[in-house]
Amino acid sequence: DKGTLATLSGILSNAQGRSNHVLQVLKKVSDAQLAGIDIAYLDLPADQRTSFTLFIAELSQQLHAAGKTLSLTLPAPLKAQDRIDEGAYDWTELGKYADILQMTPYRDQGTFRQTMPEILDYLTARVPATKLVLTVTPYATEKSAEGIRTMAITEAMSIATKLGIRSDRVQTNSNVEVYGPNIDRGENLTGVKWDEATATVAFTYKQGAINRTIWIENFFSLGFKLEFITRYRL
């Protein structure tokens, strides 16, 4: 959240703050008798790019001197119109210091299969592929004009299986027409289907005037994502 980011930016903004924070992390590793630690400082603003790299360089030196492993969890770079945008994370430099680089799940399933090859081409040209970890998630993803959010599969399925009644009255000994207001193709909706373009189970429904698309991860969609591990030797 914004409060945490402000605190972290303050820590990283000067050499003394970074060094103090390195000592705090080392103490945590020592006290808990850990083999290593993962740093997941996500959503940093782009102006923290240099300071974050300096922090990781110092932490790496101290951890490796103690025989410990350093892992980083970083947001996936973004595909801009004519370039790959790393934001606050210099993957080339960070790859020199970290033993493991985990890329957080890429949430926009509508562009995943088109964009991920470009991102991985970019990263594997700068970082040893054996350090790169492609992560996946069991969470469903919803995209609308309001942005992207994640949800548990139970929430996604409760939206898909919501029922409505078309009958004017419900009474004994009468026929009642039940339908799915979020998946009924008769309402010009897509219904739940396998989307070949995204290699996921997906459906689009309306909430007010807003179209919302939900992609549901399952055994098959995750399998298609994991193909990138073999293709790029991650």
Side-chain angles (χ1 to χ4, degrees):
D1 57 39
K2 293 181 179 179
T4 302
L5 283 174
T7 300
L8 186 56
S9 294
I11 291 172
L12 298 177
S13 63
N14 63 82
Q16 187 60 56
R18 291 192 294 270
S19 295
N20 289 340
H21 195 42
V22 166
L23 293 177
Q24 291 174 328
V25 175
L26 291 172
K27 185 176 186 304
K28 174 69 71 175
V29 172
S30 177
D31 290 348
Q33 299 182 343
L34 304 176
I37 199 160
D38 180 69
I39 300 295
Y41 292 169
L42 308 176
D43 303 315
L44 288 175
D47 61 8
Q48 292 291 317
R49 181 181 175 93
T50 299
S51 57
F52 180 69
T53 301
L54 291 171
F55 162 65
I56 293 301
E58 185 174 348
L59 178 60
S60 170
Q61 183 180 22
Q62 297 292 335
L63 284 172
H64 289 156
K68 306 295 185 181
T69 298
L70 174 60
S71 168
L72 300 181
T73 295
L74 307 173
L78 299 177
K79 173 68 170 67
Q81 185 173 1
D82 57 351
R83 62 191 176 89
I84 300 295
D85 184 3
E86 296 179 316
Y89 308 94
D90 187 337
W91 285 76
T92 301
E93 289 301 309
L94 296 174
K96 297 176 182 178
Y97 305 121
D99 303 293
I100 301 167
L101 295 169
Q102 300 187 95
M103 183 167 56
T104 57
Y106 185 93
R107 298 296 186 186
D108 187 352
Q109 298 306 299
T111 61
F112 181 93
R113 293 190 68 77
Q114 293 76 38
T115 301
M116 189 52 61
E118 294 183 60
I119 292 175
L120 291 176
D121 283 337
Y122 177 89
L123 292 179
T124 52
R126 291 160 175 78
V127 178
T130 51
K131 287 188 175 186
L132 291 173
V133 176
L134 177 71
T135 64
V136 294
T137 171
Y139 286 97
T141 303
E142 180 186 81
K143 183 179 181 181
S144 70
E146 297 172 347
I148 296 175
R149 73 182 183 103
T150 58
M151 62 179 71
I153 190 171
T154 49
E155 181 182 357
M157 292 307 298
S158 70
I159 295 172
T161 58
K162 180 181 178 180
L163 296 179
I165 298 175
R166 283 202 177 98
S167 306
D168 294 332
R169 291 189 303 167
V170 178
Q171 58 188 21
T172 57
N173 299 319
S174 65
N175 292 327
V176 176
E177 185 178 359
V178 178
Y179 75 110
N182 291 330
I183 60 173
D184 188 351
R185 291 187 174 90
E187 299 289 329
N188 294 319
L189 300 174
T190 64
V192 179
K193 64 179 183 179
W194 176 259
D195 185 346
E196 293 185 0
T198 63
T200 60
V201 174
F203 66 97
T204 298
Y205 72 106
K206 288 182 179 292
Q207 191 174 64
I210 299 176
N211 284 337
R212 299 177 182 274
T213 298
I214 291 180
W215 294 280
I216 301 171
E217 293 283 21
N218 62 17
F219 178 88
F220 299 103
S221 61
L222 290 175
F224 279 106
K225 289 180 172 62
L226 297 178
E227 286 181 350
F228 287 118
I229 295 174
T230 303
R231 186 189 306 180
Y232 289 91
R233 300 182 179 180
L234 309 180

